[in-house]
Amino acid sequence: MASIDDHPGEHAAREPIKLIAVRETALSLDEVFGAVGDDAAGGIALFVGTVRNHDEGADVDRLGYSCHPSAEAEMRRIAEKVVAEYPVRALAAVHRIGDLGVGDLAVVVAVSCPHRAEAFEACRKLIDDLKHEVPIWKHQTFSDGMEEWVGAC
């Protein structure tokens, strides 16, 4: 009998990056979840970032995201690093730009791996690195009329 590690499903897929996008349109959980489906994956981790109604004690009414033209390429670079570090079967990441209201989806990332622990770790690495390294900026508008730019990297 072959060892578990000899099974091809225990390793990263050949081309696991299925979806990378920066969009001005509403994001779809179904699209991202569907992109990471893989018969060899025993775990899929999905993270959804939404616009919340507060930040550091102040009420947020809305926000806008803008990005550098290199944002999508930077997302792909980060995805490639995650794929190199974990046995990713499939990976997807989309980020919204433009004006968003409270409750809107701002970012959706998902990773499928042979096992749940790997999927959780890879997804966490993906979203953390995206938030720290991709040139996407957030402009918050507070209910008191104040505004603030927040850099994601």
Side-chain angles (χ1 to χ4, degrees):
M1 183 195 255
S3 77
I4 291 173
D5 288 336
D6 290 338
H7 192 281
E10 291 293 323
H11 305 284
R14 286 184 120 171
E15 295 183 31
I17 300 172
K18 305 298 184 186
L19 173 62
I20 299 290
V22 175
R23 296 187 176 151
E24 292 185 48
T25 57
L27 305 183
S28 165
L29 295 176
D30 289 338
E31 177 190 24
V32 174
F33 183 73
V36 298
D38 186 285
D39 288 344
I44 296 175
L46 175 80
F47 173 81
V48 180
T50 59
V51 177
R52 63 181 178 268
N53 67 358
H54 65 94
D55 188 36
E56 297 185 14
D59 292 333
V60 173
D61 284 347
R62 64 187 179 281
L63 56 80
Y65 281 102
S66 59
C67 70
H68 188 271
S70 68
E72 202 166 285
E74 286 299 302
M75 288 174 67
R76 180 165 295 279
R77 180 186 63 78
I78 290 164
E80 289 169 352
K81 285 184 357 185
V82 170
V83 165
E85 189 172 335
Y86 298 93
V88 174
R89 300 299 306 170
L91 177 151
V94 292
H95 203 298
R96 178 94 183 264
I97 57 171
D99 295 327
L100 287 80
V102 171
D104 287 345
L105 304 183
V107 61
V108 182
V109 301
V111 178
S112 63
C113 291
H115 304 281
R116 72 178 176 272
E118 299 158 338
F120 278 127
E121 291 171 20
C123 190
R124 175 78 184 247
K125 173 91 172 141
L126 177 62
I127 189 60
D128 285 352
D129 288 357
L130 287 178
K131 294 305 287 180
H132 289 109
E133 298 179 32
V134 176
I136 295 175
W137 306 282
K138 177 170 57 174
H139 181 241
Q140 299 186 115
T141 303
F142 299 98
S143 61
D144 65 3
M146 298 295 291
E147 297 180 358
E148 172 184 59
W149 280 96
V150 180
C153 58

